[in-house]
């Protein structure tokens, strides 16, 4: 039997304590992937379990109908299973109401954005979903009718025409100052397409920054089989698996009402940067290093790579000697203890987080995860051998020898390898006129270090 509103689940699987049928949809979420379902939707479920009302979520998929097919036949219901060395814990989440497939239901997406009940638009559309050029500005060639910006422009215009109030646009993606980036990029789009709307958005909408953290691997068929057994034979096609840990730090700057996400442990603050930068440079920087170095050494999962005695010291150095010293910690933020906690999370033997998933979209990730740290230390005349080792592994990886490179820049990177060759690739990527020059330019010592590392890998 398939999970739905009438399914009788085992008593240990706790579900919504509120009447789902009467909740209005206060949130429209773009990018209804695994992370949103294991993170923001859980905090929202917690808030409604505590008495908040009308924070149902309408999901919008811009790329495929897969998640709509997973959740809509289940009345939006799905389970979140926390996995760790001490066992699994499964919970039924009720905050998701319906998933729209944007390409087939454009008018419904526009109507959801214009609806009076809608207060928040949130996003987990991956780093590449923001359609940025190499220097972080809007790439209009990518920002076509199917982009998030086109839907936002239509929906916000309909909202303004109907006399609706401004909205809070909440990016939950792993970008530095994600709210500021979203605001700037949408502003560039509207300046070209609808300047009057751009002014309305600037006057009435808010774009708070957030730091989001929960490790959520893509769900596998084995996961679904295990969860069906835990559900007494009921199948959940929208199930997600994750770790017990979850953190959400949110800039308290909303255009209107919001759920009491603090009930589930979210923290509201005036400035998210200390939390966000620590997370991007320490957690995500180490994650990407484990991905490329681990794959090169035949590992498949994070817990295998972090257990590799050849990699563990390098990851420790990346976190403690390179990323942490580049940060200005928030009051009370203990970065050494944070590194300890990250290493323990990475070692979770119950969570098969694929290195190949983390390796995706590296061109969109390395600037905030590695290059920002390199640039920080370069300004003080210091070098970062651990990050440079990881960077060399990424450079070798994007050559694509023997594997597919899943990256929006895969083709230009492969072309760069062909044109520049082994002798020219470092300069083509990280020289004064290189592809990533606006983030960091390698000096002679860096080039020598990268060449030594590359000599080993390709
Ligand atoms: P996922 O693959 O399950 O979902 C990705 C979502 O992004 C899908 O809805 C997809 O349609 C959408 N998307 C992809 N490319 C797009 C594009 N060019 N334009 C618009 N939408 C696009 O991935 P998951 O796990 O949900 O992660 C999504 C994002 O959430 C990550 O990229 C990251 O920014 C953030 N995140 C993920 C965490 C995780 O451990 N999975 C943890 C913390 C943040
Ligand atoms: C990972 C992140 O896929 C990746 O790039 O580094 O999704 C990571 O799992 C999350 O940021 C953890 O909060």
């Amino acid at each position: 039997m398939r999970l739905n509103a009438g399914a009788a689940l085992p008593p240990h699987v706790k579900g919504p304590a509120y009447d789902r049928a009467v909740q209005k949809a206060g949130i429209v979420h773009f990018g209804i992937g695994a992370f949103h379902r294991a993170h923001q939707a859980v905090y929202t479920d917690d808030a409604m379990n505590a008495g908040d009302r009308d924070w149902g979520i309408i999901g919008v998929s811009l790329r495929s109908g897969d998640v709509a097919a997973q959740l809509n036949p289940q009345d939006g219901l799905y389970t979140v299973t926390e996995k760790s060395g001490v066992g699994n814990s499964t919970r039924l989440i009720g905050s998701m109401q319906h998933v729209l497939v944007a390409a087939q239901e454009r008018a419904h997406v526009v109507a959801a954005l214009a609806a009076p009940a809608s207060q928040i638009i949130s996003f987990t559309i991956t780093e590449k979903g923001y359609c940025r050029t190499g220097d972080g500005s809007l790439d209009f060639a990518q920002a076509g009718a199917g982009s998030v910006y086109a839907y936002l422009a239509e929906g916000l215009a309909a909202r303004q025409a109907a006399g609706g109030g401004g909205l809070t646009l909440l990016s939950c993606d792993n970008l530095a100052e994600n709210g500021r980036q979203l605001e700037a990029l949408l502003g560039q789009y509207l300046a070209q397409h609808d300047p009057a709307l751009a002014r309305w958005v600037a006057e009435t909408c808010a774009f708070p920054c957030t730091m989001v953290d929960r490790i959520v691997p893509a769900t596998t068929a084995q996961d679904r089989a295990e969860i069906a057994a835990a559900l007494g034979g009921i199948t959940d096609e929208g199930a997600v698996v994750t770790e017990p840990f979850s953190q959400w730090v949110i800039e308290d700057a909303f255009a209107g009402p919001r759920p009491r996400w603090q009930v589930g442990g979210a923290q509201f603050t005036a400035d998210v940067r200390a939390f966000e930068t620590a997370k991007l440079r320490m957690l995500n920087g180490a994650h990407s290093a484990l991905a490329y170095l681990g794959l090169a050494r035949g590992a498949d999962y994070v817990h295998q790579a972090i257990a590799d005695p050849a990699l563990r010291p390098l990851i420790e150095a990346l976190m403690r000697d390179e990323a942490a010293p580049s940060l200005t910690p928030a009051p009370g933020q203990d970065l050494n203890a944070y590194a300890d906690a990250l290493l323990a999370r990475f070692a979770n033997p119950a969570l098969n987080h694929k290195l190949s998933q983390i390796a995706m979209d590296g061109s969109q990730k390395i600037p905030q995860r590695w290059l920002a740290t390199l640039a920080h230390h370069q300004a003080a005349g210091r070098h970062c051998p651990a990050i440079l080792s990881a960077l060399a592994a990424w450079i070798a990886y994007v050559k694509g020898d023997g594997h597919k490179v899943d990256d929006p820049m895969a083709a230009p990177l492969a072309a760069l390898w062909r044109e520049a060759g082994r002798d020219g690739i470092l300069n083509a990527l990280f020289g004064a006129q290189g592809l990533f020059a606006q983030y960091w330019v390698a000096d002679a010592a860096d080039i020598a270090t990268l060449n030594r590392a590359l000599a080993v890998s390709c």
Side-chain angles (χ1 to χ4, degrees):
M1 178 187 176
R2 180 88 176 259
L3 175 64
N4 61 32
L9 296 178
H12 69 272
V13 179
K14 301 299 177 220
Y18 52 91
D19 182 354
R20 298 180 70 230
V22 302
Q23 305 306 320
K24 292 177 186 167
I27 298 171
V28 178
H29 184 82
F30 283 87
I32 202 74
F35 177 59
H36 175 74
R37 280 177 271 160
H39 187 269
Q40 302 102 64
V42 172
Y43 286 94
T44 303
D45 203 47
D46 288 338
M48 288 200 279
N49 282 334
D52 279 19
R53 290 294 169 261
D54 299 334
W55 289 112
I57 301 168
I58 291 177
V60 179
S61 292
L62 292 178
R63 307 255 291 190
S64 88
D66 294 352
V67 176
Q70 289 171 356
L71 296 186
N72 290 344
Q74 299 183 178
D75 303 308
L77 290 166
Y78 66 93
T79 59
V80 175
T81 296
E82 296 178 2
K83 303 184 76 170
S84 73
V86 296
N88 296 355
S89 167
T90 298
R91 169 182 166 186
L92 181 71
I93 301 299
S95 51
M96 186 67 55
Q97 290 189 346
H98 188 74
V99 179
L100 296 173
V101 183
Q104 297 144 27
E105 303 179 275
R106 192 176 198 98
H108 290 88
V109 176
V110 170
L113 296 172
S118 299
Q119 300 290 344
I120 294 171
I121 314 172
S122 51
F123 307 82
T124 49
I125 54 176
T126 79
E127 296 89 338
K128 60 182 176 294
Y130 293 80
C131 307
R132 297 172 297 157
T133 63
D135 68 5
S137 59
L138 183 66
D139 181 346
F140 283 92
Q142 292 183 55
S147 71
V148 67
Y149 303 109
Y151 287 96
L152 287 174
E154 275 189 67
L156 293 170
R159 187 174 188 87
Q160 182 195 17
L167 290 169
T168 298
L169 287 83
L170 191 73
S171 172
C172 295
D173 277 297
N174 282 330
L175 298 177
E177 297 195 82
N178 48 20
R180 301 292 171 277
Q181 290 206 48
L182 176 60
E183 181 175 21
L185 292 159
L186 178 60
Q188 290 167 37
Y189 183 89
L190 293 178
Q192 173 148 312
H193 291 273
D194 191 338
L197 182 61
R199 285 189 294 276
W200 181 83
V201 167
E203 289 159 7
T204 66
C205 293
F207 296 80
C209 290
T210 69
M211 185 282 271
V212 289
D213 187 5
R214 191 169 216 189
I215 294 174
V216 186
T219 306
T220 65
Q222 184 181 333
D223 292 328
R224 288 192 186 88
E226 287 174 8
I227 291 158
L231 298 179
I234 289 170
T235 59
D236 173 8
E237 296 303 323
V240 291
V241 295
T242 185
E243 61 176 333
F245 179 91
S246 185
Q247 187 177 14
W248 197 9
V249 183
I250 307 165
E251 182 184 3
D252 199 359
F254 283 66
R258 60 165 177 77
R260 287 182 296 149
W261 284 320
Q262 64 271 32
V263 167
Q267 303 158 259
F268 287 90
T269 178
D271 190 341
V272 175
R273 280 175 299 179
F275 298 95
E276 161 205 290
T277 316
K279 194 260 181 174
L280 287 171
R281 294 186 189 178
M282 291 181 69
L283 187 159
N284 295 114
H287 246 191
S288 291
L290 285 166
Y292 303 111
L293 291 165
L295 287 169
R297 293 176 57 84
D300 292 318
Y301 303 117
V302 170
H303 62 75
Q304 293 169 335
I306 196 64
D308 183 338
L311 296 184
R312 173 77 180 226
L314 185 149
I315 297 301
E316 294 251 19
L318 186 151
M319 284 189 187
R320 302 183 197 277
D321 307 337
E322 298 174 5
S326 76
L327 303 168
T328 304
Q333 196 179 17
D334 178 343
L335 295 176
N336 206 34
Y338 184 55
D340 293 339
L342 292 177
L343 292 164
R345 290 169 62 194
F346 289 171
N348 183 346
L351 215 50
N352 285 333
H353 196 181
K354 286 184 180 174
L355 298 173
S356 57
Q357 178 178 355
I358 298 168
M360 278 169 49
D361 301 345
S363 68
Q364 312 294 304
K365 295 177 178 179
I366 67 170
Q368 59 270 21
R369 297 183 181 201
W370 295 342
L371 305 187
T373 304
L374 290 173
H376 173 90
H377 287 294
Q378 186 176 66
R382 292 189 295 267
H383 294 88
C384 301
I387 291 178
L388 291 177
S389 295
L391 191 58
W394 175 76
I395 295 166
Y397 182 82
V398 297
K399 189 177 182 186
D401 281 352
H403 58 264
K404 178 179 181 297
V405 177
D406 193 342
D407 190 305
M409 293 184 66
L413 287 165
L416 218 47
W417 257 108
R418 285 194 301 277
E419 292 151 18
R422 172 66 187 80
D423 294 339
I425 189 65
L426 293 181
N427 192 50
L429 292 170
F430 302 108
Q433 308 304 319
L435 201 59
F436 293 92
Q438 68 277 356
Y439 298 105
W440 171 74
V441 174
D443 65 23
D446 297 321
I447 294 291
T449 303
L450 288 168
N451 270 320
R452 284 194 298 274
L454 274 175
V456 173
S457 47
C458 63

